[in-house]
Amino acid sequence: MNPAYLVRRLGLFVLTVAVGVTAVFLLTRLAPGDPIEAKAIALEAQAGNSGGDIGPIVEAYREKFQLDGPLHIQYLTYLTNLLRGDMGYSMTNYPATVRDKISAAMPWSIGLATVTTVVAMLFGSLVGALIAWRRSLLVVQATLPVLMVTAAVPFFLFGLVLQFFLGVHWKVLPTAFGVDPGFIVGWNVETLWQLTKHAVLPATSVIVASTGLWGLGMRAMMVTTAGEDYMVLADAKGLKERRIFLVYAVRNILLPQTTSFALSLASVVGGLLLVEIVFNYPGIGLLLRNAIGESDYFMIQGVTLITIFAVALALFVMDLLYPLIDPRISYDRT
Amino acid sequence: MTIGPTTEPAAVATGDSASIASGTASVATRTYRFFRYNMKITIGLFLVSIIVGFGYIGPFFVDLELAEVGMVLPPGQAPSAEHWLGVDANGRDMLAWLIDATPDSLKVGVMAGALGVIIGASVGFVAGYYGGWIDTVLRTVTDIWLAIPGLLVLIVLASMVDVLTLEQMALVIALFAWMGAARVIRAQVLTLRERQYVEIARMSGENGMYIVFLELMPNLMPFLLAAFVGSLIGSILAAIGLEFLGLGATHISTLGNILYWQNFYNAVIRGMWWWWGSPIVIFVVLFAGLFIASIGLDEWANPRLKERS
């Protein structure tokens, strides 16, 4: 691999993270309203007092969370803390740190995201390619309008529908949580069963919706590819149908498909978080929802930062893996 | 070209057979031919207009006061002849609530979508037209923006302020709804600026802005429209996401707001299907309409995407 390319791509990765981190810093520091003060007033009201002098409490919190210096000093502290992986304490679950909470939630989100992406990509691409393939069954070709609807509707709306029918109405699958309440996770078959059972509904809602997106992208590309000369040649050579379809058509489209997926990854992640909320799935989406409900600003900030980082990292890794999917891309000459 | 007398013939190769015959036809005939030929745009617009009609004509038939808390008792009724879409757990008539909420949801989307296209088109124009280091900088900015999950940044912003007005919400959403437009427009301007008529305008000493707005803009109309619908979809999605989390314009009824409350009161688990079901139907029709229209617009802008039959 060309080192110049690697450096450039790494630079973009660092820049993306830096922009995200700075944006979050500026938003939280410059927005009107003082979260610390609001928090103190809320705590006071909770304890049944009001109108007392909250000044000292606010000051103490400010110092504790290092919100009392001039802006550039705050920014430097914030950056150095982040570099050490320190995202502060959860304001509502003190002394739990934001980092602990996120590390506990992250595996759930990553698991859900990986499984759904892989399944949707394989299934969606196949369906999309088959719809455009003029020799496939009419039944398959007729599913195009269905794809258009599923691609258009946000993930979590499917979640609501699935939750109602499969979870509430027919009671076949659990409607919430990562495992049954009170279940102790361990390395055994029972755990695997629990995990699968609880992940089916959230995963399905994402898969159904994103199958539409993959499928439509694939179909559009297939339509243009079908007219290419090399396709006609392959046909004329009398190659097997399956070989033309998989090796000549599908393989050539996979790269642009992956590119368009990379472009939409950031918004897909947003949709995933909402699905977790619908199903009370214990990932970072739920963490975020609770943090919003409790005005836990450091947690909101932490979840946002980690997600920005994760998406940027995923895109970076994907770019490096391109040559493996498509030999036409080579980073040796630029 | 089949639409609009202002566009130059053959400026953008839309390649439709109707365009050749359209030279002498009346505006009505040309409009008809356009919609007849671009079926996806027609179907999409039809679906969207159902929802627009629902929100804007509905108030003439349904008393919107029924949408207020406690107006209908007992609360939690299933749909009946009297309350077509049922009643929520707080005595709000669902039909009235939905009619009340639809226009505001559409407004946020249209405002943010339009703003997003204006920002994106400007970025794309400048990047594509001037090229060089300006292009490099703007493209990098676009790439960075694309890689940042907008919804989360919006959440951070919205959670810092108590409540946002519709306009403020549209403004912040637009900050994450311009990248698609920027990419498409840049790519088009790159090919257009080498065309001869642009060259002639440049040689006759017209300034950059004149060329951009009077020579390039008309040819980009199909792309701008397609980009607008794309950014409209993204904006409505972002708005729903925020509202579903209980953020944004919480003081007015929007469709996302209804979803927040049904989630808050566990409508799904309690079997109150009319509470979440009816907003979903609206969303499905609206998004399907917008999405089909956007595919249609893409095909109109770039006929190579259209199936060869």
Side-chain angles (χ1 to χ4, degrees):
Chain A
M1 192 169 291
N2 187 342
Y5 173 81
L6 192 67
V7 168
R8 218 173 41 232
R9 192 57 193 79
L10 191 68
L12 192 65
F13 166 67
V14 173
L15 211 55
T16 307
V17 174
V19 168
V21 162
T22 310
V24 169
F25 174 81
L26 289 177
L27 285 177
T28 46
R29 300 305 191 281
L30 297 182
D34 184 340
I36 300 283
E37 202 173 313
K39 191 80 212 164
I41 293 173
L43 281 175
E44 198 187 25
Q46 224 170 30
N49 298 317
S50 61
D53 183 18
I54 54 166
I57 307 175
V58 173
E59 281 313 308
Y61 263 98
R62 282 238 169 85
E63 211 187 313
K64 174 127 217 123
F65 294 124
Q66 292 161 337
L67 294 175
D68 49 354
L71 207 59
H72 62 278
I73 303 287
Q74 280 190 42
Y75 185 57
L76 281 180
T77 331
Y78 166 84
L79 282 186
T80 36
N81 284 347
L82 274 184
L83 283 177
R84 296 205 318 262
D86 177 3
M87 289 178 285
Y89 293 99
S90 160
M91 284 167 78
T92 39
N93 295 303
Y94 189 83
T97 63
V98 170
R99 187 169 139 189
D100 292 344
K101 292 287 232 181
I102 290 180
S103 325
M106 210 55 187
W108 296 96
S109 295
I110 292 183
L112 194 63
T114 318
V115 171
T116 52
T117 306
V118 171
V119 175
M121 178 187 158
L122 294 177
F123 185 65
S125 304
L126 188 67
V127 172
L130 283 174
I131 286 179
W133 196 242
R134 70 200 137 84
R135 272 162 287 192
S136 59
L137 292 174
L138 275 177
V139 188
V140 178
Q141 291 181 355
T143 53
L144 181 60
V146 182
L147 279 198
M148 285 188 180
V149 174
T150 60
V153 175
F155 302 166
F156 76 101
L157 291 184
F158 272 110
L160 289 173
V161 177
L162 290 177
Q163 193 179 35
F164 176 72
F165 283 105
L166 294 171
V168 177
H169 195 69
W170 293 317
K171 294 193 174 37
V172 259
L173 287 162
T175 55
F177 313 120
V179 291
D180 284 344
F183 180 81
I184 292 152
V185 180
W187 290 103
N188 49 40
V189 182
E190 180 62 10
T191 305
L192 191 66
W193 167 239
Q194 283 277 339
L195 290 176
T196 318
K197 198 169 70 170
H198 284 264
V200 169
L201 283 184
T204 313
S205 23
V206 179
I207 291 170
V208 169
S210 37
T211 293
L213 283 176
W214 282 99
L216 286 182
M218 196 72 183
R219 191 203 72 100
M221 299 289 232
M222 258 327 237
V223 169
T224 46
T225 308
E228 298 284 352
D229 290 343
Y230 65 85
M231 293 291 285
V232 180
L233 177 69
D235 218 16
K237 282 202 292 193
L239 291 178
K240 280 210 185 82
E241 177 88 15
R242 223 177 63 152
R243 191 173 154 79
I244 303 177
F245 179 73
L246 287 177
V247 182
Y248 283 67
V250 173
R251 178 141 193 231
N252 278 311
I253 305 171
L254 273 180
L255 180 80
Q257 270 283 83
T258 324
T259 312
S260 60
F261 173 73
L263 289 179
S264 63
L265 183 66
S267 51
V268 167
V269 167
L272 265 168
L273 299 185
L274 296 177
V275 170
E276 289 184 0
I277 294 167
V278 166
F279 290 98
N280 272 310
Y281 201 72
I284 55 169
L286 195 65
L287 204 59
L288 183 68
R289 204 272 311 267
N290 294 337
I292 293 171
E294 298 160 344
S295 307
D296 190 343
Y297 298 97
F298 291 104
M299 191 63 92
I300 299 177
Q301 187 180 306
V303 170
T304 307
L305 291 173
I306 209 76
T307 313
I308 290 174
F309 181 78
V311 170
L313 186 68
L315 292 177
F316 176 57
V317 172
M318 256 165 92
D319 266 5
L320 297 187
L321 292 179
Y322 269 174
L324 298 184
I325 321 173
D326 195 320
R328 279 174 300 186
I329 300 266
S330 113
Y331 296 129
D332 293 334
R333 50 190 167 94
T334 296
Chain B
M1 294 302 296
T2 45
I3 196 170
T6 50
T7 7
E8 299 167 59
V12 173
T14 47
D16 47 345
S17 50
S19 69
I20 301 154
S22 71
T24 52
S26 72
V27 175
T29 327
R30 281 196 279 167
T31 315
Y32 170 76
R33 279 196 196 136
F34 174 78
F35 285 115
R36 181 82 186 73
Y37 186 74
N38 297 287
M39 248 350 234
K40 287 196 183 109
I41 300 181
T42 315
I43 295 172
L45 282 182
F46 173 71
L47 291 177
V48 173
S49 60
I50 293 178
I51 302 303
V52 174
F54 175 77
Y56 284 92
I57 303 175
F60 295 109
F61 298 94
V62 176
D63 181 8
L64 291 190
E65 288 211 340
L66 291 175
E68 275 160 37
V69 173
M71 284 303 283
V72 186
L73 295 169
Q77 294 174 48
S80 62
E82 211 175 330
H83 301 287
W84 289 2
L85 297 178
V87 181
D88 87 334
N90 296 316
R92 308 176 78 161
D93 179 72
M94 283 308 300
L95 182 61
W97 196 7
L98 286 165
I99 291 177
D100 191 28
T102 304
D104 282 337
S105 277
L106 294 174
K107 256 185 247 165
V108 175
V110 171
M111 283 191 289
L115 205 56
V117 163
I118 294 172
I119 303 173
S122 316
V123 171
F125 266 135
V126 173
Y129 188 76
Y130 292 103
W133 66 268
I134 299 179
D135 183 32
T136 313
V137 170
L138 289 179
R139 222 177 42 204
T140 313
V141 171
T142 312
D143 282 349
I144 290 175
W145 230 268
L146 268 171
I148 294 177
L151 185 65
L152 280 152
V153 180
L154 292 178
I155 287 171
V156 171
L157 183 69
S159 62
M160 297 304 297
V161 289
D162 280 344
V163 80
L164 290 168
T165 65
L166 278 186
E167 288 76 18
Q168 288 168 334
M169 202 154 135
L171 189 71
V172 291
I173 289 175
L175 292 179
F176 286 92
W178 58 270
M179 296 82 80
R183 289 176 67 95
V184 171
I185 298 302
R186 174 184 169 273
Q188 286 311 312
V189 172
L190 274 183
T191 71
L192 282 178
R193 68 169 189 175
E194 304 303 332
R195 303 276 168 92
Q196 280 179 341
Y197 62 88
V198 179
E199 197 70 12
I200 289 171
R202 209 179 286 143
M203 280 192 291
S204 10
E206 300 294 357
N207 67 32
M209 280 299 117
Y210 170 89
I211 297 176
V212 164
F213 283 99
L214 287 154
E215 299 285 353
L216 295 180
M217 195 77 137
N219 299 310
L220 290 169
M221 265 339 263
F223 295 95
L224 284 174
L225 274 176
F228 169 66
V229 176
S231 118
L232 176 64
I233 296 176
S235 302
I236 298 183
L237 279 176
I240 297 172
L242 279 182
E243 289 156 4
F244 179 64
L245 289 162
L247 297 168
T250 41
H251 58 302
I252 26 180
S253 295
T254 54
L255 294 172
N257 234 311
I258 299 182
L259 288 175
Y260 169 75
W261 287 114
Q262 69 77 26
N263 192 51
F264 187 85
Y265 286 103
N266 292 317
V268 176
I269 312 288
R270 287 160 78 184
M272 298 169 77
W273 49 269
W274 53 92
W275 194 347
W276 53 266
S278 36
I280 289 187
V281 171
I282 293 191
F283 281 132
V284 169
V285 175
L286 177 66
F287 281 122
L290 286 172
F291 200 76
I292 293 170
S294 87
I295 297 177
L297 284 168
D298 276 342
E299 287 178 356
W300 175 47
N302 182 6
R304 229 170 72 87
L305 295 173
K306 211 156 192 163
E307 246 157 310
R308 286 159 206 192
S309 45

